[in-house]
Amino acid sequence: MHVNEAIKLRRSIKHYDPNHVMTKEEIHTLLSNAVLSPTAFNIQNWRFVVVTDKVLRQKIREVSWGQAQVEEASILIVLVADLMAWNKEPGRYWKDAPKPVQDYLVPAIQQYYQNKPEVQRDEAMRSCGMAAMNLMLSAKAMGYDTCPMDGFDFDQVAKLLNLPNDHTPAMFVCVGKGIKEAMPRGGQLPLNEVVIENQFK
């Protein structure tokens, strides 16, 4: 499927075939595409918690306002932001780069993030958002439907997933075989309302 077609066809699907099982190869392909999404300084500050355990899925559904897709999609991927990725052996993010590049960028990571919790969080959330889009477009190209979500209790999900203190949920992406089409688009704003040339007037 061409990327333009995947973009146009991707919709947030709420109803899934609960009996459909994705293969390990499909899940691997999906995640391999997700990790090609960009991150500032290449720190790869997203983590992907693939929730397949049925009991855990039920518990997550309970703290997600009972939304069925959390439990019924083939897989539930919780995108998690590692807020301290910048400080975890940052040299490994540039290990394959030429030494002059390493010598410049690795110290720059520390300078950019250290003692700046808002920057750490903002960059991690941006990274998770871009990764989520990669996931959704890849899934659509593979014949799957998706639903991005932030309708859940973030603190309870963090507890259920046993997240480390320096990690926080960013969003869900449910992936599976949709059994009911999305409602018609609610209303798309025209480009001339959302695209600004050079400056706001």
Side-chain angles (χ1 to χ4, degrees), residues 119-190:
V119 172
Q120 295 163 14
R121 183 180 177 85
D122 288 352
E123 288 290 1
M125 290 299 181
R126 274 191 279 271
S127 296
C128 286
M130 290 187 282
M133 200 70 242
N134 260 26
L135 273 172
M136 291 186 286
L137 293 179
S138 295
K140 178 47 74 175
M142 293 166 63
Y144 284 103
D145 294 300
T146 56
C147 183
M149 296 177 56
D150 63 0
F152 56 89
D153 185 317
F154 280 57
D155 291 337
Q156 289 300 317
V157 167
K159 288 178 184 176
L160 287 169
L161 299 182
N162 195 32
L163 295 187
N165 290 334
D166 58 1
H167 288 54
T168 187
M171 61 188 295
F172 294 172
V173 175
C174 303
V175 184
K177 285 290 185 182
I179 56 174
K180 187 177 178 181
E181 289 187 9
M183 292 187 297
R185 292 186 185 274
Q188 200 73 31
L189 295 175

Side-chain angles (χ1 to χ4, degrees), residues 10-166:
R10 189 221 61 80
R11 300 294 309 282
S12 295
I13 300 298
K14 309 290 186 182
H15 303 278
Y16 292 87
D17 177 355
N19 298 312
H20 182 81
V21 178
M22 292 178 67
T23 67
K24 289 182 179 179
E25 290 77 15
E26 287 175 321
I27 296 170
H28 179 79
T29 296
L30 198 59
L31 295 170
S32 296
N33 289 340
V35 300
L36 295 177
S37 60
T39 58
F41 292 98
N42 196 41
I43 65 172
Q44 301 159 69
N45 44 354
W46 17 243
R47 300 293 177 263
F48 304 87
V49 182
V50 182
V51 186
T52 55
D53 181 86
K54 291 183 179 180
V55 174
L56 183 55
R57 292 272 289 271
Q58 289 173 348
K59 291 179 179 178
I60 294 174
R61 179 177 178 175
E62 289 171 9
V63 298
S64 303
W65 307 335
Q67 295 181 83
Q69 65 268 30
V70 170
E71 189 176 358
E72 294 178 355
S74 298
I75 57 171
L76 168 65
I77 301 174
V78 183
L79 285 94
V80 172
D82 180 351
L83 304 177
M84 295 297 289
W86 62 275
N87 201 32
K88 296 174 179 175
E89 301 176 53
R92 63 197 171 127
Y93 305 133
W94 293 97
K95 63 182 176 59
D96 298 325
K99 190 170 187 311
V101 174
Q102 295 181 37
D103 291 345
Y104 174 74
L105 282 174
V106 174
I109 293 172
Q110 198 86 4
Q111 294 166 13
Y112 186 74
Y113 288 99
Q114 191 165 28
N115 299 321
K116 299 174 186 173
E118 287 186 5
V119 172
Q120 295 163 14
R121 183 180 177 85
D122 288 352
E123 288 290 1
M125 290 299 181
R126 274 191 279 271
S127 296
C128 286
M130 290 187 282
M133 200 70 242
N134 260 26
L135 273 172
M136 291 186 286
L137 293 179
S138 295
K140 178 47 74 175
M142 293 166 63
Y144 284 103
D145 294 300
T146 56
C147 183
M149 296 177 56
D150 63 0
F152 56 89
D153 185 317
F154 280 57
D155 291 337
Q156 289 300 317
V157 167
K159 288 178 184 176
L160 287 169
L161 299 182
N162 195 32
L163 295 187
N165 290 334
D166 58 1

